[in-house]
Amino acid sequence: MSEKIPYKIYLEESEMPRQWYNVRADMKNKPAPLLNPGTLKPMTFDELRPVFCDELIKQEMDDTTAYIDIPEEILDFYRMYRPSPVMRAYNLEKALGTPAKIYYKFEGNNTSGSHKLNSALAQAYYAKKQGLNGVTTETGAGQWGTALSMACAFFGVDCKVYMVKVSYEQKPFRREVMRTYGASVTPSPSNTTNIGRKILEEFPGTTGSLGCAISEAVEAATSQEGYRYVLGSVLNQVLLHQSVIGLEAKKALDKYGIKPDIIIGCAGGGSNLGGLISPFMGEKLRGEADYRIIAVEPASCPSFTRGKFAYDFCDTGMVCPLAKMYTLGSGFIPSPNHAGGLRYHGMSSILSQLYHDGLMEARSYEQTAVFDAATQFARTEGILPAPESSHAIRGAIDEALKCKETGEEKTILFGLTGTGYFDMTAYEKYNNGEMSDYIPTDADLEKGFAGLPKVDL
Amino acid sequence: MSEKIPYKIYLEESEMPRQWYNVRADMKNKPAPLLNPGTLKPMTFDELRPVFCDELIKQEMDDTTAYIDIPEEILDFYRMYRPSPVMRAYNLEKALGTPAKIYYKFEGNNTSGSHKLNSALAQAYYAKKQGLNGVTTETGAGQWGTALSMACAFFGVDCKVYMVKVSYEQKPFRREVMRTYGASVTPSPSNTTNIGRKILEEFPGTTGSLGCAISEAVEAATSQEGYRYVLGSVLNQVLLHQSVIGLEAKKALDKYGIKPDIIIGCAGGGSNLGGLISPFMGEKLRGEADYRIIAVEPASCPSFTRGKFAYDFCDTGMVCPLAKMYTLGSGFIPSPNHAGGLRYHGMSSILSQLYHDGLMEARSYEQTAVFDAATQFARTEGILPAPESSHAIRGAIDEALKCKETGEEKTILFGLTGTGYFDMTAYEKYNNGEMSDYIPTDADLEKGFAGLPKVDL
């Protein structure tokens, strides 16, 4: 290879960002505030205090401060696995025969296997700083729970994870990773909470749901002295912490004078996409540069591409505040798919507003096409990608193939959020030719929309 | 942190080694040659040609050339996941309260999850260069098979893996990783080979063994046009390729003027340990520097610490050449343990000679103590280590604790060969307090020694 751009662009530790970037500060149309579902008034700091850590509430509500210092204690832990590399996909480009230049920001090189650790560390740190005893959360497939367990082990904070029972039983490996990091993992529904006991009584054979696990985690946090609830996506604070992804990526590309034309990320609740695009979107909002930004979501859970921009409950249990977002309705049940991290009915309020304002695009893919891309990527670039991340790969490959047709030498940057080591059951289905695709009908969607709260603001 | 040594020392891609180092060139007492088990004469190039690639045989037999160029095509793939970082274990040091400085060379940041890819790439490349159609190999837990599958996908060479049947059925995840990379994976014993059919006839319900899988892989290679057999450890060529670990580690430490006092690695067949120590051992052999070098092995399979230095078969099937090494006898069956990569009855001839000449030490640990170390490491350093690698962690922690007693500020370097993502069943046992320790009795060992071939040279 005679090119001067290396396969992996690493920042020095001394070049790592020391502040998070809050894209809301540069948004003319701010994301709508969380509403109290009882009063339909914006949630106040005091109303949120029983559930969230004080410092995190401040970050959640702050839509004017552009840069927020990353505490030195968090930087110390970031340095254990960050900066993450920006990789040049030379071998994928060659296999595709495209003139496009493909880069990806790889967030999977830590034991949690994804970008989730960036926010988990921040949330565990603020809990510790506030003198709390511990935090509670829910997890489905387990990426977030794993990241939080690691973060809590680092900071010496107790971690209670409510894991959807069917995952607890059928996917024991992530459960054991969490336990290795000292977390207590409870299959949900459980008899440790009122809501859990109630559900078990009504549905004795239930294997649980994310909505139920959220309700249990919130109850466990609010009913115990010194505990708070934490969440790995959707919230503004999470996108703030994840801005470290985009800040590093931009700085690494800037070192080599590389300016992406297209930036692509997968979107579930928006934590990765929001983090990756934030500094680029900032430039776009300030009129300093232009980028095509593309969100990729599963066709089975198409919040952006087929959802409504409306106030909705963040959880299926309808106990959390209302958020204004692209949503399929909190009662929408996505058909089974293998990208557990992209099965959320809604979307970050920040990204929803940006999409609504025409500042980014969205598209959806069926999962077989996504696994085609995952396999091609694995065989050429080596890394076995998570099903979630593979949505972004599919998007990047398709843009690169368009360049092949037109002869354009576009520069594409996508977010490779994580690895698929704990998703081999999905790969097995794909390898055996047994993968199915599911697309909700319009009637399916109408059922979800029918459950939207009647809020007109 | 005010220290100037970063958490992770990365070389630039331009600083990566461009030659492997062949430690045999600096050994006064050369490792003994492979013997033909029929004639008891050293194996010739022509005798080895039906089984191994030509270039690899040359590397196997060359004990005088100190540096061998790494072909540009291999460097291109090394650049996708190398250089691997040397990490400073600041958080582990703090948790131990030791004045020792602990560094580890981390080889787990690639999809194969271990250092095995370094040699797999070389072996697949030489097969391709020779115009072969493909390679065959055996795998137990699957690390080597995974690495080889990735390498063969990169170079476009067919890959046939014989996987011990019990692992094929009970550990389907690594099997699916291999299939994702396009390898064919056959449970062994199978009816695709004469030896497999014979064993199935004699023992219809057998779940297979590594010895049987080796025999099938060798037969599959020698009975098909354009196929050769490849192996992931023990051989001189493998240690040559793995020298890239030590060369990078030494260069990274040299950049900061760091000189290790103690170098520690886990030892199964010797591929990782041999690679890590090679340039340091070279200095020691040439009288330029001194290092304490410690091999760590499981108490359940103590080749160095309780084995005999003798000629023995490399495989339990007794079809491969004889190698002079520290061995427990090819018929020795280690008690079950969770470090599949350290269950080999013998040891690299190079390392065996160095140990015999007093140039390195060895010690063994029981597996509960190893998992204690693994868990402490995971919680402080973040990375969830492979059970194999955790033997080296145990050794490093114990040396660091000695420094705590004596107040010595020793510098320790150990090899963290891989991650434990596919070993969560073992962690589950440990988390549940159900892990057992096994140490062979002297009588167990005598049974193994009784099977040693009667060779007196």
Side-chain angles (χ1 to χ4, degrees):
Chain A
M1 292 271 156
S2 58
E3 304 220 30
K4 71 165 212 189
I5 310 288
Y7 278 81
K8 304 171 296 302
I9 309 177
Y10 273 108
L11 297 177
E12 301 287 326
E13 282 173 24
S14 57
E15 296 172 305
M16 283 173 63
R18 304 183 69 85
Q19 297 182 307
W20 292 304
Y21 168 62
N22 182 5
V23 72
R24 287 168 287 169
D26 284 309
M27 289 170 71
K28 213 183 293 176
N29 300 328
K30 305 288 183 191
L34 294 172
L35 295 190
N36 181 319
T39 64
L40 297 187
K41 294 261 189 304
M43 293 288 290
T44 64
F45 181 80
D46 284 334
E47 284 174 330
L48 289 167
R49 285 195 73 190
V51 182
F52 294 119
C53 299
D54 294 354
E55 193 63 33
L56 293 167
I57 301 171
K58 284 183 206 160
Q59 295 179 355
E60 191 65 28
M61 301 176 84
D62 182 347
D63 58 12
T64 54
T65 311
Y67 288 94
I68 293 174
D69 286 344
I70 306 176
E72 194 57 37
E73 292 86 342
I74 296 176
L75 280 175
D76 257 359
F77 284 110
Y78 277 179
R79 285 187 198 110
M80 287 171 62
Y81 69 99
R82 308 199 68 80
S84 72
V86 170
M87 315 273 289
R88 172 74 181 268
Y90 281 120
N91 291 297
L92 177 62
E93 290 170 18
K94 203 166 139 190
L96 296 173
T98 178
K101 294 173 176 63
I102 308 176
Y103 295 87
Y104 54 98
K105 176 72 169 168
F106 180 39
E107 288 289 320
N109 266 351
N110 68 75
T111 289
S112 82
S114 82
H115 65 293
K116 296 279 180 184
L117 191 56
N118 302 330
S119 184
L121 279 170
Q123 298 194 46
Y125 166 75
Y126 289 117
K128 178 75 176 180
K129 201 183 158 203
Q130 196 175 321
L132 298 173
N133 299 323
V135 294
T136 71
T137 200
E138 76 291 335
T139 202
Q143 289 95 331
W144 167 245
T146 307
L148 189 67
S149 304
M150 289 177 68
C152 288
F154 290 157
F155 285 113
V157 177
D158 187 40
C159 180
K160 292 186 196 298
V161 181
Y162 286 85
M163 187 171 190
V164 178
K165 190 182 265 174
V166 62
S167 298
Y168 182 93
E169 284 165 359
Q170 290 180 2
K171 299 184 174 177
F173 285 4
R174 279 205 202 265
R175 177 190 80 207
E176 291 307 323
V177 178
M178 291 184 255
R179 291 181 70 205
T180 299
Y181 284 94
S184 75
V185 188
T186 306
S188 168
S190 74
N191 57 17
T192 67
T193 64
N194 291 325
I195 182 85
R197 282 186 290 269
K198 192 169 156 238
I199 290 170
L200 282 173
E201 218 165 89
E202 280 179 46
F203 312 97
T206 180
T207 56
S209 72
L210 206 55
C212 167
I214 294 178
S215 305
E216 286 205 86
V218 171
E219 183 184 325
T222 51
S223 63
Q224 283 174 95
E225 187 63 28
Y227 278 78
R228 293 294 185 280
Y229 169 73
V230 297
L231 186 66
S233 192
V234 184
L235 297 175
N236 299 335
Q237 60 186 265
V238 176
L239 268 72
L240 175 71
H241 307 147
Q242 295 295 358
S243 69
V244 70
I245 303 173
L247 292 165
E248 279 185 11
K250 186 157 189 328
K251 205 162 186 176
L253 293 176
D254 282 348
K255 274 176 90 162
Y256 288 88
I258 302 160
K259 198 179 154 309
D261 299 298
I262 308 173
I263 302 167
I264 301 172
C266 62
S271 67
N272 144 68
L273 181 68
L276 175 67
I277 68 171
S278 61
F280 302 98
M281 184 58 83
E283 288 191 327
K284 191 164 170 165
L285 289 164
R286 297 189 302 270
E288 296 164 10
D290 198 17
Y291 304 97
R292 266 187 76 201
I293 293 172
I294 306 173
V296 185
E297 57 187 13
S300 56
C301 191
S303 328
F304 269 136
T305 51
R306 297 176 70 195
K308 289 200 170 158
F309 188 45
Y311 262 107
D312 193 10
F313 288 97
C314 293
D315 62 322
T316 49
M318 303 190 184
V319 299
C320 294
L322 300 173
K324 189 164 182 191
M325 56 185 177
Y326 278 86
T327 179
L328 300 164
S330 66
F332 175 80
I333 297 166
S335 346
N337 71 50
H338 294 292
L342 304 183
R343 299 189 68 212
Y344 186 61
H345 67 277
M347 184 56 65
S348 140
S349 288
I350 295 174
L351 294 183
S352 294
Q353 187 64 49
L354 292 168
Y355 181 65
H356 186 69
D357 291 343
L359 289 154
M360 49 184 279
E361 309 164 30
R363 71 176 61 155
S364 72
Y365 287 111
E366 296 171 46
Q367 66 180 349
T368 305
V370 167
F371 275 82
D372 288 344
T375 303
Q376 183 169 28
F377 184 81
R379 292 186 186 180
T380 52
E381 290 294 313
I383 298 167
L384 187 96
E388 293 83 357
S389 324
S390 303
H391 287 73
I393 299 174
R394 177 78 269 166
I397 288 178
D398 283 3
E399 289 300 319
L401 290 175
K402 275 188 215 162
C403 289
K404 187 179 180 177
E405 279 177 31
T406 62
E408 288 174 290
E409 287 187 32
K410 288 195 177 156
T411 298
I412 299 167
L413 168 68
F414 73 89
L416 187 71
T417 53
T419 49
Y421 308 142
F422 292 96
D423 300 288
M424 292 320 297
T425 308
Y427 276 95
E428 181 176 7
K429 276 236 163 75
Y430 175 81
N431 290 336
N432 291 339
E434 294 164 357
M435 185 159 273
S436 328
D437 291 315
Y438 310 88
I439 304 182
T441 63
D442 287 342
D444 293 334
L445 294 186
E446 283 310 322
K447 267 185 246 168
F449 296 145
L452 285 173
K454 305 292 171 264
V455 180
D456 195 18
L457 291 171
Chain B
M1 291 269 163
S2 58
E3 304 221 30
K4 70 167 212 189
I5 309 290
Y7 278 79
K8 304 171 296 302
I9 309 177
Y10 273 107
L11 297 177
E12 300 289 326
E13 282 173 25
S14 56
E15 296 172 305
M16 283 172 62
R18 304 183 68 85
Q19 297 183 307
W20 292 304
Y21 168 63
N22 182 4
V23 72
R24 286 168 287 169
D26 284 309
M27 289 170 70
K28 211 183 294 177
N29 300 326
K30 305 286 184 192
L34 293 173
L35 295 190
N36 181 318
T39 64
L40 297 187
K41 294 260 189 304
M43 293 290 288
T44 64
F45 181 79
D46 285 334
E47 285 174 330
L48 288 167
R49 285 195 73 191
V51 182
F52 295 119
C53 299
D54 293 356
E55 193 64 32
L56 293 167
I57 301 171
K58 284 183 205 159
Q59 294 179 356
E60 190 64 29
M61 301 175 84
D62 183 347
D63 58 12
T64 54
T65 311
Y67 287 94
I68 293 176
D69 285 345
I70 306 176
E72 195 58 38
E73 292 87 341
I74 296 176
L75 281 174
D76 257 0
F77 285 110
Y78 276 179
R79 287 188 196 108
M80 287 172 60
Y81 70 99
R82 309 199 66 80
S84 71
V86 170
M87 317 273 289
R88 173 72 182 268
Y90 280 121
N91 291 298
L92 177 62
E93 290 170 16
K94 203 166 137 189
L96 296 173
T98 177
K101 294 174 177 61
I102 308 176
Y103 295 87
Y104 54 98
K105 176 73 167 166
F106 179 40
E107 289 289 319
N109 266 353
N110 69 75
T111 289
S112 82
S114 82
H115 66 293
K116 295 279 180 186
L117 191 56
N118 302 330
S119 184
L121 280 169
Q123 297 195 46
Y125 166 76
Y126 288 118
K128 178 75 177 179
K129 201 183 158 203
Q130 196 175 322
L132 298 172
N133 299 323
V135 293
T136 70
T137 200
E138 77 291 334
T139 202
Q143 289 96 330
W144 167 245
T146 307
L148 189 67
S149 304
M150 290 178 67
C152 287
F154 290 156
F155 286 112
V157 177
D158 186 40
C159 180
K160 292 185 195 299
V161 180
Y162 286 86
M163 187 170 189
V164 178
K165 190 182 266 173
V166 62
S167 297
Y168 182 93
E169 285 165 358
Q170 291 179 1
K171 299 184 176 180
F173 286 3
R174 279 205 203 265
R175 175 189 83 205
E176 291 306 322
V177 178
M178 290 185 254
R179 290 182 69 208
T180 299
Y181 284 93
S184 76
V185 187
T186 306
S188 169
S190 74
N191 57 16
T192 66
T193 63
N194 291 325
I195 181 87
R197 283 187 291 270
K198 191 169 157 239
I199 290 171
L200 282 174
E201 217 165 87
E202 281 179 46
F203 311 98
T206 180
T207 55
S209 72
L210 205 57
C212 166
I214 294 178
S215 304
E216 285 206 88
V218 172
E219 183 185 325
T222 50
S223 62
Q224 283 174 95
E225 188 62 29
Y227 278 77
R228 293 293 185 281
Y229 169 73
V230 296
L231 185 66
S233 191
V234 185
L235 297 175
N236 298 335
Q237 59 186 267
V238 176
L239 267 72
L240 175 71
H241 307 147
Q242 295 295 358
S243 69
V244 70
I245 304 173
L247 292 165
E248 279 185 10
K250 187 159 188 325
K251 206 162 184 177
L253 293 176
D254 282 348
K255 273 176 91 161
Y256 288 88
I258 301 160
K259 199 178 154 308
D261 299 297
I262 309 173
I263 303 168
I264 301 173
C266 62
S271 67
N272 145 68
L273 180 68
L276 174 68
I277 68 172
S278 61
F280 301 98
M281 183 60 83
E283 288 191 328
K284 191 164 170 166
L285 289 163
R286 297 189 302 271
E288 296 164 9
D290 197 18
Y291 304 97
R292 266 188 76 200
I293 293 173
I294 307 173
V296 185
E297 58 187 13
S300 56
C301 191
S303 328
F304 269 136
T305 49
R306 296 175 71 195
K308 289 200 171 161
F309 189 44
Y311 263 107
D312 193 10
F313 288 96
C314 293
D315 62 322
T316 49
M318 301 191 186
V319 299
C320 294
L322 300 174
K324 189 163 182 192
M325 55 187 177
Y326 277 85
T327 179
L328 299 164
S330 66
F332 175 79
I333 297 166
S335 347
N337 70 50
H338 294 291
L342 305 184
R343 300 188 68 211
Y344 186 63
H345 68 277
M347 182 57 63
S348 140
S349 288
I350 295 174
L351 293 183
S352 293
Q353 187 65 49
L354 291 168
Y355 181 64
H356 186 69
D357 291 343
L359 289 153
M360 49 183 280
E361 309 165 28
R363 70 175 64 154
S364 72
Y365 287 111
E366 296 172 44
Q367 66 180 348
T368 304
V370 168
F371 274 82
D372 288 344
T375 302
Q376 182 169 28
F377 184 81
R379 292 188 186 180
T380 51
E381 290 293 312
I383 299 167
L384 187 96
E388 291 83 356
S389 323
S390 303
H391 286 72
I393 299 175
R394 177 78 269 165
I397 289 179
D398 283 1
E399 289 300 319
L401 290 175
K402 274 188 215 162
C403 288
K404 188 179 180 177
E405 277 177 34
T406 62
E408 288 173 291
E409 287 188 32
K410 287 194 177 157
T411 297
I412 300 167
L413 168 67
F414 73 89
L416 188 70
T417 54
T419 49
Y421 307 144
F422 293 96
D423 299 289
M424 293 318 299
T425 308
Y427 275 95
E428 183 177 5
K429 275 236 164 77
Y430 175 80
N431 291 337
N432 291 340
E434 293 163 358
M435 185 157 272
S436 328
D437 292 313
Y438 309 88
I439 304 181
T441 62
D442 287 342
D444 293 334
L445 294 185
E446 283 310 322
K447 269 185 243 167
F449 296 145
L452 286 174
K454 305 290 170 268
V455 181
D456 194 19
L457 291 169

